[in-house]
C-alpha cells in the first residue's frame, strides 16, 4: 500500500464493537468492492469498500470477511478469505496478500483462500440462525449499480431461504460515526496533506491560470505525500462558477478580480479530508468580497462552537440558519421584510445559502454516523457555510473538519490551514 501500515489494534476494536451488537447465533459477511469496468479491458482503479476496510484493514479486491461470535470452533469467530496468488498474478499484477500478511494487516488469525469460501460458509451457516446483510442505508445513497454485496445477498437468499436476515448497516452507522484515536490520526494526516496542497496553490495562483492547472497543483502535492489523490471530485470554481454548487468541469481561466472557490481534500489510507477555501485570483480581496468573506468566516466560527456533545443535527442547522440570516441582513442581501415574510420550510437565508452546514466525515467523505440522536465525543463533522451571489459574480464557502470533544469547543483538524483573509493575502503576496 502507498500509506504507512495501520496498527491492527484499530480493526480488532472495530470488529469487537460490531460483534458486541450481533444477535445470538448469527453471522455477518462483508464483501469487497468490484473493480468497476470502463470498456474494452480498461477498469477504474480499485477502491476498497469502506465497511470491510473498517473491520479488517484488508485493502485488496475480492477479499471477504466473516464474523460469527458464537461459532462452535473458536477459530471461526473471525475469518478472512483472500484471493490466492500464483506466479502468473505475481508477474502481471504484483504482490498480493499472503496468509501471514493478511493476519498482520487485520489481526485475524484464520485466513482462508477465497476458493474455500463456499465450503466453509455452508458449514458455518448450518450453525447459524441469522445472517447479517450489509445493505447501503446512507441518507444520501442513490446507487443504481448492482454491487458485489448485492449479488452476494441475492445468492444467499436463494441458497439459504430458511435463515433469518438482519441488517449490518445500523450497527456500522453507529460505530463508524465515532472515531477511534487511530482514525483521528489518519484523518489528521489527510488534512495535513490537504494543507500542503493549499499552501502550494497560494503561491501558484495568479490571473491567467486555468482552473485545471490549480487542480493539478493539488494532485501533485497529494501524490507526493502518499495520498492516492482526491478524496472526492475536486471543485475549482472561479468567478460565477462558484455559484454552481457541484461545478467539477474546472476548465475556465481565472480572471483578475475574481475569487476562486476550491473544495478539495486529500485522501490518506482511505480516510477523507474535506476542505473549502475561497481566495482572490489577484492576491487581494475587494472590499465587498472581504465583507462577504468575513461574514462566512464568522458563521463558520459560530457554527463550530455549537458542535458539542448533546447537539441535535437538525436543530443545529436551524441555529446556523439564524446566524446566517443576521449576517445576510448585515450585508444588505436580505431586509427585515424578507425575514418577516419567510416560509419556515424555506427560510429567506436559503436564497444565498442553500446547502447543509455539516456532515459526518471519515472513511467516506459524507460518512456514516448517527444524525437523529445527540452528537457524541469523537464524531467528526465538516463545518461549511457559504454565501452565493450570482448577481455579484462570486460565491464564497469556507469548510473545515472538526472533532467533537468531551468538554468545550471541537478540535479543528484544519487549524493550521490559513483561513483569515489577511493571512491569505499575505501568503499570496509574500
Ligand atoms: N466536498 C463535498 C462536500 O463539501 O460536502
Ligand atoms: Mn467540501
Ligand atoms: Mn463537505
Amino acid at each position: 500500500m502507498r500509506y504507512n501500515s495501520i496498527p491492527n489494534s484499530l480493526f480488532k476494536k472495530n470488529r469487537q464493537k460490531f460483534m458486541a451488537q450481533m444477535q445470538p447465533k448469527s453471522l455477518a459477511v462483508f464483501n469487497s468492492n468490484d473493480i468497476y469496468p470502463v470498456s474494452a479491458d480498461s477498469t477504474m482503479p480499485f477502491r476498497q469498500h469502506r465497511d470491510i476496510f473498517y473491520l479488517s484493514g484488508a485493502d485488496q479486491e475480492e477479499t471477504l470477511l466473516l464474523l460469527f461470535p458464537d461459532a462452535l470452533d473458536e477459530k471461526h469467530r473471525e475469518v478472512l478469505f483472500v484471493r490466492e496468488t500464483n506466479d502468473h498474478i505475481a508477474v502481471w499484477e504484483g504482490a498480493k496478500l499472503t496468509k501471514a500478511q493478511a493476519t498482520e494487516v487485520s489481526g485475524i488469525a484464520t485466513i482462508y483462500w477465497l476458493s474455500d469460501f463456499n465450503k466453509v460458509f455452508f458449514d458455518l451457516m448450518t450453525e447459524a440462525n441469522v445472517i447479517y446483510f450489509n445493505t447501503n442505508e446512507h441518507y444520501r445513497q442513490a446507487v443504481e449499480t448492482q454491487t458485489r454485496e448485492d449479488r452476494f445477498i441475492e445468492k444467499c437468499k436463494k441458497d439459504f431461504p430458511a435463515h433469518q436476515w438482519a441488517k449490518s448497516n445500523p450497527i456500522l452507522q453507529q460505530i463508524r460515526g465515532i472515531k477511534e484515536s487511530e482514525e483521528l490520526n489518519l484523518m489528521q494526516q489527510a488534512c495535513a496533506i490537504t494543507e500542503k496542497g493549499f499552501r502550494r496553490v497560494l503561491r501558484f495562483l495568479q490571473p491567467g491560470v486555468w482552473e485545471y492547472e490549480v487542480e493539478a497543483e493539488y494532485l501533485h502535492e497529494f501524490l507526493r505525500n502518499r495520498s492516492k489523490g482526491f478524496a472526492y471530485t475536486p471543485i475549482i470554481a472561479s468567478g460565477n462558477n462558484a455559484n454552481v454548487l457541484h461545478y467539477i468541469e474546472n476548465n475556465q481561466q481565472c480572471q483578475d478580480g475574481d475569487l476562486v472557490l476550491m473544495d478539495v481534500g486529500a485522501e490518506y489510507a482511505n480516510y477523507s479530508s474535506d476542505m473549502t477555501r475561497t481566495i482572490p485570483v489577484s492576491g487581494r480581496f475587494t472590499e465587498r468580497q472581504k465583507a462577504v468573506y468575513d461574514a462566512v468566516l464568522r458563521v463558520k466560527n459560530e457554527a463550530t462552537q455549537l458542535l458539542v456533545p448533546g447537539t441535535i443535527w437538525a436543530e443545529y442547522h436551524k441555529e446556523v440558519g439564524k446566524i446566517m440570516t443576521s449576517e445576510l441582513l448585515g450585508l444588505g442581501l436580505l431586509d427585515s421584510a424578507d425575514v418577516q415574510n419567510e416560509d419556515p420550510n424555506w427560510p429567506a437565508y436559503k436564497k444565498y445559502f442553500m446547502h447543509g452546514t455539516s456532515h459526518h466525515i471519515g472513511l467516506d467523505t459524507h460518512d456514516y454516523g448517527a444524525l437523529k440522536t445527540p452528537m457524541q465525543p469523537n464524531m467528526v463533522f465538516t463545518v461549511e457555510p457559504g454565501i452565493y451571489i450570482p448577481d455579484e459574480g462570486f460565491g464564497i464557502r469556507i469548510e473545515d473538519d472538526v472533532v467533537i470533544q468531551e468538554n468545550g469547543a471541537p478540535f479543528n483538524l484544519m487549524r493550521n490551514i490559513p483561513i483569515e483573509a489577511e493571512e491569505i493575502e499575505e501568503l499570496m503576496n509574500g
Side-chain angles (χ1 to χ4, degrees):
M1 288 306 136
R2 187 172 292 172
Y3 48 87
N4 295 314
S5 62
I6 301 170
N8 63 26
S9 55
L10 171 63
F11 309 116
K12 285 183 182 165
K13 276 187 279 190
N14 292 345
R15 287 193 296 276
Q16 274 160 13
K17 283 187 282 186
F18 186 91
M19 289 193 287
Q21 297 202 42
M22 291 174 72
Q23 300 173 34
K25 283 187 162 270
S26 65
L27 66 75
V29 174
F30 302 89
N31 279 268
S32 294
N33 271 331
D34 281 319
I35 297 177
Y36 289 98
V38 178
S39 57
D41 67 346
S42 59
T43 57
M44 308 286 283
F46 173 65
R47 291 288 181 265
Q48 182 56 294
H49 194 291
R50 297 320 193 217
D51 292 331
I52 187 170
F53 181 80
Y54 175 80
L55 294 167
S56 72
D59 203 350
Q60 181 170 294
E61 70 283 358
E62 298 187 42
T63 309
L64 274 156
L65 171 67
L66 188 153
L67 300 178
F68 188 7
D70 295 338
L72 295 174
D73 186 340
E74 201 176 326
K75 78 172 198 249
H76 285 148
R77 293 184 182 162
E78 299 181 339
V79 187
L80 197 65
F81 298 85
V82 295
R83 181 182 173 205
E84 184 172 10
T85 191
N86 58 36
D87 290 347
H88 179 83
I89 292 173
V91 169
W92 286 82
E93 297 179 35
K96 299 282 169 188
L97 290 173
T98 63
K99 288 188 178 182
Q101 286 167 335
T103 293
E104 178 56 34
V105 164
S106 63
I108 294 174
T110 307
I111 311 289
Y112 288 122
W113 296 128
L114 189 58
S115 48
D116 293 325
F117 179 76
N118 285 341
K119 191 162 66 58
V120 175
F121 181 58
F122 182 85
D123 180 41
L124 295 180
M125 281 293 269
T126 64
E127 287 178 31
N129 294 331
V130 181
I131 176 157
Y132 279 78
F133 290 140
N134 193 21
T135 48
N136 181 353
E137 296 186 10
H138 188 273
Y139 70 120
R140 291 184 178 201
Q141 77 84 22
V143 180
E144 291 189 15
T145 313
Q146 188 183 46
T147 64
R148 207 171 177 85
E149 197 74 68
D150 294 333
R151 294 199 302 277
F152 174 78
I153 294 170
E154 209 169 85
K155 179 165 171 9
C156 231
K157 285 182 173 176
K158 195 147 56 68
D159 292 351
F160 301 96
H163 281 70
Q164 294 164 43
W165 310 324
K167 300 196 296 185
S168 294
N169 189 265
I171 304 176
L172 288 164
Q173 292 263 3
Q174 188 206 332
I175 62 178
R176 273 185 52 184
I178 299 170
K179 274 62 180 177
E180 293 289 340
S181 58
E182 294 93 332
E183 297 185 281
L184 295 175
N185 283 338
L186 295 167
M187 294 182 73
Q188 183 65 80
Q189 289 182 68
C191 291
I193 297 171
T194 301
E195 176 187 348
K196 289 185 180 181
F198 179 59
R199 289 185 182 276
R200 178 170 168 146
V201 165
L202 285 174
R203 295 190 298 273
F204 174 78
L205 185 65
Q206 56 177 311
V209 154
W210 292 78
E211 292 165 350
Y212 52 75
E213 291 183 275
V214 175
E215 179 177 336
E217 292 296 306
Y218 278 105
L219 188 59
H220 188 167
E221 200 59 31
F222 291 178
L223 295 186
R224 68 199 288 268
N225 283 284
R226 290 182 176 269
S227 163
K228 283 195 285 276
F230 294 105
Y232 52 90
T233 310
I235 296 170
I236 312 286
S238 62
N240 244 327
N241 296 333
N243 295 313
V244 178
L245 293 179
H246 291 157
Y247 174 80
I248 52 171
E249 296 293 330
N250 305 347
N251 64 359
Q252 297 299 305
Q253 200 171 23
C254 301
Q255 307 294 339
D256 198 3
D258 277 349
L259 296 180
V260 189
L261 183 158
M262 303 178 294
D263 188 342
V264 290
E267 75 81 53
Y268 178 72
N270 293 328
Y271 281 83
S272 292
S273 61
D274 185 2
M275 174 198 79
T276 308
R277 290 291 183 272
T278 309
I279 63 176
V281 173
S282 67
R284 298 266 173 224
F285 290 92
T286 65
E287 210 175 305
R288 175 63 172 170
Q289 289 166 346
K290 184 161 181 308
V292 179
Y293 187 92
D294 286 343
V296 176
L297 187 53
R298 281 192 295 272
V299 177
K300 191 202 73 96
N301 290 338
E302 287 180 46
T304 303
Q305 300 298 316
L306 303 174
L307 293 171
V308 294
T311 295
I312 303 278
W313 189 69
E315 284 163 17
Y316 158 78
H317 276 90
K318 283 189 200 143
E319 283 308 307
V320 176
K322 288 183 202 159
I323 300 166
M324 179 59 90
T325 300
S326 117
E327 290 292 348
L328 292 170
L329 287 166
L331 290 167
L333 289 165
L334 293 181
D335 61 29
S336 47
D338 294 325
V339 179
Q340 269 157 21
N341 300 330
E342 74 183 7
D343 172 356
N345 294 318
W346 192 254
Y349 77 82
K350 294 262 188 193
K351 177 173 177 198
Y352 297 100
F353 174 40
M354 58 298 279
H355 58 77
T357 310
S358 293
H359 54 80
H360 283 275
I361 177 165
L363 281 167
D364 287 292
T365 303
H366 296 158
D367 207 29
Y368 286 172
L371 288 174
K372 295 179 184 168
T373 49
M375 291 181 186
Q376 295 180 55
N378 293 341
M379 288 183 165
V380 186
F381 285 97
T382 63
V383 193
E384 49 180 304
I387 296 179
Y388 306 93
I389 326 175
D391 288 348
E392 299 187 32
F394 68 91
I396 294 174
R397 177 164 68 254
I398 304 174
E399 176 174 23
D400 278 347
D401 304 340
V402 305
V403 186
I404 306 257
Q405 302 287 288
E406 183 85 52
N407 297 303
F411 180 73
N412 190 347
L413 295 172
M414 296 189 158
R415 65 201 171 283
N416 296 326
I417 306 185
I419 198 163
E420 296 289 338
E422 294 75 13
E423 188 184 2
I424 286 169
E425 288 187 340
E426 245 168 61
L427 290 165
M428 292 186 79
N429 293 285

